Amino acid sequence: MAILVTGGAGYIGGHMVLALLDVGEEVVVLDDLSTGFAWAVPKPATLVIGDMGDTAALEAIFANHHIEAIAHFAAKIVVPESVADPLLYYLNNTAKARNLIEVAVRAGIRRFIFSSTAAVYGEPIVNPISEDAPPAPINPYGRSKLMVEWILEDVARARDFSYVALRYFNVAGADPAGRLGQSTPNATHLIKVAVQAALGRRPGMDVYGTDYPTPDGTCIRDYIQVSDLIAAHLLALAHLRDGGKSLVLNCGYGHGHSVNEVIDMVKRVTGIDFPVRLAGRRAGDPAMLVAGAARIRNLLGWSPRYDNLQEIVHEAYEWERKLPSITAKATDAARKG
Ligand code: UFG
């Protein structure tokens, strides 16, 4: 029996693949390599290069492998891009997920773990935000993911099918063993951008908005270390295997850091000062997003191990430092065939 990991060549999905292999699971990855890398998928896992919108490709996976559950990571994830190109997000994140779910249900798959997002909450009225807060996304990214939660809810009601939707807050850091990290060249995420600026890989960086209603005027986010996030997925899988009911759970630590605090930490950890420009607000950014983090602890017994911004930044920095040599080695290996 295997777990199908869509987006398993990407940042978060790739950490899931490592974690599953670490505990001896069989893994099949489906990834179109639009932002992921074949080198990020270790040998024991099967890599299928393809698209979730391709019904025949999905049917072939279900015919050729004994898939027990799906962990669905593949998605577009850049909020401002979703504002500029909403149809891309509704195609990629909503329509293709619907297709995946349809083909999976037809193939008799009954367990599904979905990468949802804190962006479903929009501009929350209270922080920390509980799962019971009414979803009110303020950008197409959040809406595109919320629609999938609704599809899953309805399918679970109609069929013998259970799911766990995990609403990620801001995922950051890298595998503590140093095997994987955030590798996308044009990543827009704060910690990645800041460590790139520290390394001189970009001339500097912008702070998007200094007039938010927060103590220092910059946005506050709940940064969750990627391996802690993946531990939640393994618990979700165990829960579904035990016959547990469908759940929607926040994934965050329950406290946040401002953009300025994160940039200061990157400067402190790296010992490098870099140019920071105070810029205007970025479209679609809520002022503050902090997880109400009790439910996942209570229902899945999740207990985070890496709740430490300094460590998170350190991991991101160490990964960024070695990324060029990893990419060069992979290109070399691909050339040699
Ligand atoms: N930011 C900057 N400068 C940068 C990059 C980011 O000031 O160069 C700011 C943003 O404006 C925001 C904060 O840093 O205030 C965090 O931005 P990110 O782009 O790192 O992350 P987002 O909060 O926009 O989005 C992330 C994920 C989403 C998820 C969301 C939920 O990409 O998938 O967190 O909080 F939905």
Side-chain angles (χ1 to χ4, degrees):
M1 294 291 258
I3 310 298
L4 174 62
V5 181
T6 73
Y11 169 47
I12 305 174
H15 282 84
M16 179 70 168
V17 172
L18 290 178
L20 287 168
L21 293 175
D22 284 348
V23 295
E25 299 279 358
E26 193 184 332
V27 179
V28 177
V29 170
L30 173 63
D31 200 299
D32 65 3
L33 301 184
S34 57
T35 53
F37 302 92
W39 58 256
V41 181
K43 258 281 162 351
T46 302
L47 171 61
V48 178
I49 300 170
D51 189 301
M52 291 179 308
D54 182 347
T55 300
L58 292 173
E59 284 171 345
I61 290 173
F62 295 126
N64 296 334
H65 304 272
H66 207 132
I67 303 293
E68 176 210 351
I70 298 174
H72 173 42
F73 294 86
K76 298 259 168 225
I77 58 156
V78 180
V79 172
E81 183 186 46
S82 81
V83 175
D85 192 354
L87 291 174
L88 176 68
Y89 277 67
Y90 292 123
L91 172 64
N92 209 85
N93 294 2
T94 312
K96 289 186 183 180
R98 195 214 71 91
N99 193 57
L100 171 67
I101 295 163
E102 179 178 10
V103 182
V105 166
R106 233 190 289 132
I109 311 294
R110 294 185 296 117
R111 299 175 183 134
F112 199 95
I113 300 171
F114 175 53
S115 304
S116 189
T117 170
V120 301
Y121 294 114
E123 185 78 67
I125 298 160
V126 282
N127 272 290
I129 315 152
S130 131
E131 290 87 347
D132 296 329
I138 57 168
N139 51 56
Y141 169 69
R143 290 169 192 261
S144 72
K145 290 271 185 174
L146 181 59
M147 287 185 206
V148 179
E149 284 195 15
W150 286 341
I151 293 171
L152 289 168
E153 188 181 338
D154 290 338
V155 172
R157 210 172 277 138
R159 314 285 294 238
D160 177 17
F161 178 88
S162 310
Y163 69 95
V164 177
L166 297 171
R167 291 178 174 168
Y168 304 172
F169 284 65
N170 286 57
V171 188
D175 174 39
R179 296 172 295 179
L180 194 60
Q182 164 65 279
S183 310
T184 326
N186 300 318
T188 56
H189 290 129
L190 177 63
I191 294 178
K192 170 96 178 171
V193 168
V195 295
Q196 286 179 330
L199 286 165
R201 305 223 174 109
R202 49 174 84 219
M205 64 172 296
D206 288 342
V207 173
Y208 298 134
T210 53
D211 59 348
Y212 284 98
T214 59
D216 68 14
T218 66
C219 291
I220 292 174
R221 295 287 183 274
D222 186 336
Y223 294 91
I224 173 173
Q225 200 273 351
V226 62
S227 304
D228 270 344
L229 176 75
I230 292 306
H233 290 69
L234 295 189
L235 292 168
L237 179 62
H239 168 84
L240 293 173
R241 280 176 169 164
D242 283 351
K245 66 177 171 60
S246 297
L247 297 172
V248 177
L249 300 170
N250 286 344
C251 287
Y253 291 140
H255 57 85
H257 299 278
S258 73
V259 172
N260 279 345
E261 283 169 2
V262 170
I263 293 173
D264 287 348
M265 183 62 85
V266 172
K267 289 186 175 180
R268 189 143 71 80
V269 166
T270 62
I272 301 165
D273 199 5
F274 49 87
V276 175
R277 195 172 66 104
L278 303 183
R281 292 185 178 197
R282 190 175 72 171
D285 275 343
M288 182 168 178
L289 276 174
V290 172
R295 189 170 293 176
I296 188 166
R297 292 169 193 247
N298 294 338
L299 294 183
L300 293 186
W302 181 66
S303 164
R305 297 171 59 194
Y306 305 107
D307 176 3
N308 181 318
L309 183 65
Q310 186 174 341
E311 281 303 311
I312 289 172
V313 166
H314 180 71
E315 289 163 3
Y317 178 59
E318 287 304 318
W319 178 255
E320 201 61 38
R321 259 158 45 117
K322 62 185 185 199
L323 186 56
S325 73
I326 290 169
T327 318
K329 248 187 248 153
T331 314
D332 232 32
R335 253 191 236 115
K336 286 182 188 137

